[in-house]
Amino acid sequence: MFEMFATWFSALPVMSQVYWCCAVAGSLIFLIQLVLTLLGMDASDIDVDFDGPDTMDLGGGMSLFTVRALVNFLVGFGWSGVCFGKVVDSAALTVAIAVATGLLFSWVILFLYSKMKRLEYNAAFAISDCVGQTGTVYLRIPAARSGMGKVQVSVRGSVHEVAACTDGGQIASGTLVRVVEAINADCLLVVPAAQ
């Protein structure tokens, strides 16, 4: 079987061999990158760093010179060369189409990754983020810190249910309150919002 492949490959024109090598190698590396990305192991994408004012940095940590961009260029270049090599009679036109397709593949993937980067969000919640916010009493809050009730406070679009106490009188369920202080990692000091 290997001999049949070797015979077929050696019978191809040189540019067709280049296209096939780029297409197969690029596709294999692309599949490996895809699997690693799906497993969450793609954080160490290698960037080529060119110091100077004329780099191709696209902003937001995205650069045109990355392993991912090179692999996508090879996939686009190789497969378009394979496909158009038999359809287009001019070798120069085939190379131009392959290069343009490779650049387009690289740009599209970088564009999509830059958009996905914007979707990243740290949803870590710190109780101190509640200070100054208003909320609603969920379970009544006993007077003069004699016990704890619960409040629902919205922080960055997420509603959190947190233990709360007050220095004043008892606060009934459903009352609108303002968070004055984070007493500790589990409890807020609140006052009625009307105060």
Side-chain angles (χ1 to χ4, degrees):
M1 178 158 172
F2 180 74
E3 287 181 24
M4 286 181 12
F5 172 75
T7 304
W8 168 79
F9 190 76
S10 62
L12 292 173
V14 174
M15 281 310 293
S16 290
Q17 290 177 356
V18 170
Y19 294 139
W20 273 105
C21 287
C22 289
V24 171
S27 296
L28 288 174
I29 296 170
F30 178 81
L31 288 174
I32 292 168
Q33 283 182 336
L34 178 65
V35 169
L36 292 176
T37 299
L38 292 175
L39 294 175
M41 299 168 60
D42 68 332
S44 61
D45 193 25
I46 302 168
D47 291 337
V48 178
D49 187 18
F50 296 103
D51 290 332
D54 297 325
T55 62
M56 298 294 285
D57 188 11
L58 302 175
M62 300 302 291
S63 174
L64 193 56
F65 295 109
T66 64
V67 172
R68 188 175 307 279
L70 176 64
V71 168
N72 288 304
F73 174 82
L74 290 176
V75 170
F77 175 82
W79 286 116
S80 63
V82 167
C83 293
F84 287 103
K86 295 184 182 203
V87 177
V88 177
D89 292 332
S90 169
L93 183 58
T94 303
V95 170
I97 291 170
V99 168
T101 305
L103 291 173
L104 180 66
F105 270 47
S106 296
W107 182 82
V108 166
I109 294 299
L110 289 175
F111 176 76
L112 292 174
Y113 267 86
S114 69
K115 293 299 180 189
M116 285 189 336
K117 283 274 192 198
R118 290 183 183 174
L119 296 176
E120 290 181 1
Y121 175 71
N122 183 359
F125 170 70
I127 197 163
S128 60
D129 294 339
C130 295
V131 176
Q133 301 293 325
T134 57
T136 306
V137 176
Y138 180 67
L139 293 175
R140 75 170 177 80
I141 302 172
R145 295 194 190 194
S146 60
M148 287 193 286
K150 289 203 178 212
V151 293
Q152 291 180 330
V153 181
S154 178
V155 177
R156 292 190 306 267
S158 295
V159 177
H160 300 275
E161 188 176 293
V162 185
C165 62
T166 186
D167 286 332
Q170 176 176 303
I171 304 174
S173 295
T175 305
L176 193 63
V177 293
R178 185 172 41 86
V179 178
V180 177
E181 178 185 347
I183 295 173
N184 57 40
D186 300 320
C187 186
L188 299 172
L189 179 64
V190 298
V191 296
Q195 289 184 351

